[in-house]
Structures are given as structure tokens and as C-alpha cells.
């Protein structure tokens, strides 16, 4: 295993120019979003990750089942609209409305559990900001579609694949997917909590809580590290054990997976006030901090064998900051977590992680697995964290 020397984040002093650094980063996010959102509206498509930051070279379309990333750009545009009051951002976002409507009302079989990412950062965001009930109806339809992925026997939301298929193409081969949940899904549960509040239908809240409890039982190890995926017998609900599609191995500790857990459990606590979700978020956060070295930005997986590529994943830091901000807003972050929030955010806004080149669509120099890369989710969560930290901006979860 690579040697990591832990650092106590409460002892990390922020430089006096930290606030200026955050302001600069937010301005970069806004200006790059100005270009990126128009390009997305001109050609709706997936925009996941890119080695060189050019997301628009990606060939996957908007309606393809693997598209879970388009709304990271729309979410950034809505944040930019809040910050600047420039109607340009809203105009570009609204150009995409027919595509989101078709995605859930017509092409709903070509979806997956990440409807939460897609809809929270588009339809719910627009409804919260404009009050337009057309966006509310799209979001409620999406919640209905997402709820259909719930396996009653196993208490899990199926992650991937069409609901009329048992297997899905992942990478270079077919993998059974009707039996699998992944840690990322905790970020999709706010769609269900929101739908329950909007409609007074308890079934959506019940599914979200049952899935969150399943994740707490199966994804969080006794040492508070996390597993990426878990499989079940879909007919009986019996647990079959951990699996992996994003970390180094099924026994490793994928740093972005930990980040999804920290923020996701914090969001479940916000909606339910169930203490077990709060404690899970805090425990995962403190475990995450204990794994960091003096670079502060985590390696892409905390349990890499010697000689494994050692890429740093700044997107994991950005997501964790958002989770810690959620705990702070809920008055549940202690001094250690508050110090971590400030240190992590300031660190990823330095030049070695922040791309200031206006010609590059990407912003946060991050990682995709073991590859140094840019990711649209890294950019979005960086911007959300900056808006929340600097101006108390609205979030859409």
C-alpha cells in the first residue's frame, strides 16, 4: 500500500488570500459556464469527463442510458443565474426543457438511478427558482420512474440498466445489473424525499429511507470505509456481497464513493432528521479526513497497492466540502469538520487544481479512476461549494 502521512486539518492555517482565491475560482466557474451551457443547449448530450477538459468531444447523446451528467452544466448555470442575475443563463437552461420532458415522459426506459442527479439539478432547481409548475411535473414524473427501480425484497434501488433488461453493457462486456446498487445512489434520494413532500405520498419517502438504511448496513464497513457496489438476489433480496466498478477493487476504499456517502447521508438526515444518517455522515467524514496526507486532496482510492497510479481526485474533495457545508447548515459540524471544510475548499482552488484557461471547458483538474482528468461533477460540486461558502447560495437537492 502507498504510504500516506495523515495531517490534522485543524492545524492547517489558511493564508490571508484564501477569500480572494475562492472569489477568483467562482468567477472562473461563472465565465466557463457561460460558454458551456450554450454549447450544451446547442447540442444536448452527456458531458462526463475528459483527459484534456474538452467534455464536448464525448459522443454519448442526451437520451442514451449512460447519460447522468448533463445536469452538472445546467446546475452550474442555475447557480450562475443566482449569483449574477443575468437572464442569459436561464434562457440557455430553458432551451433544454423539451429534452428533459421527453427523457422522463417518453424515453423513461432509457434512464437509471441517476435521474436524481439529472432532475435535481434541472427541473427541481428551475421549479424552486421560478415556480413554473411544468418543471414540477417533470420532476414528479421522474420520481415515479425512479421509484419503479426499487426492489422490495432487497430494499435497494437498482443502479443501472433498462428495467426490461437483466444485463447491461459496462465497459467492454455485459454485466448483470438487475441485482446491484451503488453508493452513489444516496445522492439520488433527495428527488424522492422532495416528491414525497410535494405530493404527501409517503411511498417516495419510504423508498428513500429503506434504501438509505440498506446502504448504511451494507456499504459502510465497520472501520467506516465504504464499498462501491453491492449485489443481491433480486428474487429473494438476500445479500450476496460487495462489488466494484469504480474503485480499485471490491475490498478497496474509493475516495469519491466516500464523498457520495458523506453528502448523501447528510441529505437524508436533512429530510428525515433520523440520527443514524447524521452519525453515518459524520463518521464517514472523519474517516475520510484521517486518510488525507499533507497534499489534502485525496488519492483516487485510499487502498492502492504499491506501484498503482497515484492520481489525486479533487472532485472527491469538492463533494466532501458540500457535505460538510450541509452539516454546518444543520448545526451538526464540529470545529474539526469546519476546519476541514475550509482547508479542502481552499486547497482545490489553487493553481495546480484550478484551470484558468478560458479556452478549456473543464475547471477542476481532478481524476477519473487512476487517470488525471477533468469531470463535470467535479466542476459542479466545486461551484456549489463556492456559492454556498461565499454567498449562501441555494442548493437544489
Amino acid at each position: 500500500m502507498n504510504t500516506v502521512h495523515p495531517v490534522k486539518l485543524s492545524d492547517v492555517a489558511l493564508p490571508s488570500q484564501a477569500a480572494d482565491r475562492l472569489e477568483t475560482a467562482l468567477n472562473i466557474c461563472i465565465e466557463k459556464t457561460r460558454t458551456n451551457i450554450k454549447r450544451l443547449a446547442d447540442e444536448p448530450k452527456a458531458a462526463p469527463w475528459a483527459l484534456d477538459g474538452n467534455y464536448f468531444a464525448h459522443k454519448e447523446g442526451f437520451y442514451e442510458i449512460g447519460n447522468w451528467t448533463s445536469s452538472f452544466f445546467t446546475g452550474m448555470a442555475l447557480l450562475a443565474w443566482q449569483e449574477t442575475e443575468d437572464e442569459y443563463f436561464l434562457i440557455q437552461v430553458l432551451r433544454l426543457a423539451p429534452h428533459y420532458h421527453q427523457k422522463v415522459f417518453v424515453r423513461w426506459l432509457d434512464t437509471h438511478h441517476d435521474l436524481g442527479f439529472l432532475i435535481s439539478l434541472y427541473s427541481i432547481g428551475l421549479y424552486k427558482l421560478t415556480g413554473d409548475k411544468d418543471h414540477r411535473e417533470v420532476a414528479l414524473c421522474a420520481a415515479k420512474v425512479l421509484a419503479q427501480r426499487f426492489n422490495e425484497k432487497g430494499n435497494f434501488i437498482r443502479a443501472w440498466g433498462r428495467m426490461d433488461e437483466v444485463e447491461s453493457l459496462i465497459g467492454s462486456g455485459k454485466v448483470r445489473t438487475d441485482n446491484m446498487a451503488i453508493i452513489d445512489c444516496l445522492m439520488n434520494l433527495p428527488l424522492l424525499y422532495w416528491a414525497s413532500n410535494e405530493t404527501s405520498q409517503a411511498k417516495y419517502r419510504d423508498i428513500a429511507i429503506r434504501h438509505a438504511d440498506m446502504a448504511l448496513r451494507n456499504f459502510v464497513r465497520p472501520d467506516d470505509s465504504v464499498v462501491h457496489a453491492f449485489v443481491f438476489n433480486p428474487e429473494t433480496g438476500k445479500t450476496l456481497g460487495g462489488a466494484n466498478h469504480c474503485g480499485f477493487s471490491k475490498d478497496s476504499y474509493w475516495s469519491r464513493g466516500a464523498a457520495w456517502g458523506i453528502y448523501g447521508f447528510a441529505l437524508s438526515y436533512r429530510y428525515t432528521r433520523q440520527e443514524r444518517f447524521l452519525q453515518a455522515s459524520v463518521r464517514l467524514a472523519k474517516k475520510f479526513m484521517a486518510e488525507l496526507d499533507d497534499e489534502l486532496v485525496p488519492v483516487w482510492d485510499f487502498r492502492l497497492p504499491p506501484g498503482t497510479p497515484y492520481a489525486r481526485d479533487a472532485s472527491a474533495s469538492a463533494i466532501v466540502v458540500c457535505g460538510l457545508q450541509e452539516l454546518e447548515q444543520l448545526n451538526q459540524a464540529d470545529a474539526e469538520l469546519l476546519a476541514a471544510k475550509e482547508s479542502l475548499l481552499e486547497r482545490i482552488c489553487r493553481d495546480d487544481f484550478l484551470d484558468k484557461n478560458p479556452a478549456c471547458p473543464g475547471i477542476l483538474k481532478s481524476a477519473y479512476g487512476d487517470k488525471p482528468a477533468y469531470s463535470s461533477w467535479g466542476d459542479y460540486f466545486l461551484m456549489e461549494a463556492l456559492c454556498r461558502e461565499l454567498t449562501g447560495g441555494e442548493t437544489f437537492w
Side-chain angles (χ1 to χ4, degrees), residues 96-113:
L96 291 158
H99 298 283
Y100 281 85
H101 186 280
Q102 186 173 5
K103 183 89 171 177
V104 299
F105 280 100
V106 179
R107 302 286 295 273
W108 61 272
L109 271 174
D110 295 317
T111 60
H112 38 64
H113 73 160

Side-chain angles (χ1 to χ4, degrees), residues 133-376:
K133 292 189 176 180
D134 286 345
H135 302 303
R136 177 181 183 271
E137 294 310 306
V138 170
L140 290 177
C141 181
K144 181 179 178 181
V145 172
L146 180 58
Q148 292 175 18
R149 303 187 74 84
F150 185 65
N151 182 296
E152 290 278 351
K153 296 287 183 64
N155 291 303
F156 70 93
I157 296 171
R158 174 183 175 177
W160 296 328
R162 289 171 57 104
M163 293 299 291
D164 58 349
E165 295 179 348
V166 172
E167 295 181 323
S168 305
L169 183 64
I170 299 177
S172 59
K174 286 225 169 183
V175 176
R176 183 168 185 179
T177 51
D178 69 334
N179 64 348
M180 183 172 62
I182 63 176
I183 188 101
D184 316 39
C185 192
L186 289 167
M187 294 299 300
N188 296 315
L189 302 184
L191 171 61
L192 298 175
Y193 291 126
W194 171 87
S196 187
N197 290 344
E198 284 289 313
T199 64
S200 299
Q201 294 186 42
K203 66 178 182 180
Y204 295 123
R205 174 185 168 91
D206 178 63
I207 288 172
I209 290 175
R210 289 169 67 182
H211 181 95
D213 279 330
M214 177 282 302
L216 189 53
R217 287 192 304 271
N218 295 304
F219 287 90
V220 180
R221 300 184 180 112
D223 67 353
D224 293 328
S225 64
V226 297
V227 63
H228 172 240
F230 211 85
V231 293
F232 305 80
N233 181 314
E235 286 76 36
T236 67
K238 180 181 177 181
T239 56
L240 300 178
N244 171 67
H245 293 280
C246 286
F248 180 79
S249 73
K250 70 176 184 178
D251 298 316
S252 66
Y253 179 13
W254 180 45
S255 59
R256 180 154 52 96
W260 295 138
I262 292 163
Y263 198 4
F265 280 123
L267 290 168
S268 278
Y269 174 71
R270 183 217 291 179
Y271 280 100
T272 69
R273 290 304 195 267
Q274 298 295 314
E275 190 74 14
R276 62 191 179 278
F277 299 140
L278 169 62
Q279 294 304 319
S281 179
V282 170
R283 293 197 330 266
L284 294 186
K286 296 201 170 185
K287 173 68 173 178
F288 183 96
M289 305 314 163
E291 297 293 327
L292 299 178
D293 59 19
D294 56 9
E295 280 291 315
L296 295 186
V297 179
V299 294
W300 71 277
D301 193 302
F302 288 124
R303 294 179 180 168
L304 297 175
T308 306
Y310 206 67
R312 302 269 177 180
D313 190 352
S315 76
S317 292
I319 298 161
V320 168
V321 170
C322 292
L324 297 178
Q325 289 171 326
E326 184 69 27
L327 293 175
E328 180 182 19
Q329 184 174 359
L330 295 165
N331 296 314
Q332 299 296 333
D334 62 18
E336 179 185 1
L337 295 181
L338 292 176
K341 177 204 69 169
E342 294 175 0
S343 299
L344 292 175
L345 182 55
E346 192 272 341
R347 179 66 186 89
I348 59 177
C349 290
R350 295 193 181 191
D351 288 348
D352 51 342
F353 284 101
L354 193 70
D355 191 316
K356 297 179 180 179
N357 177 9
C360 177
I363 300 168
L364 191 63
K365 300 172 187 176
S366 191
Y368 184 74
D370 61 359
K371 305 175 184 67
Y374 298 71
S375 65
S376 55

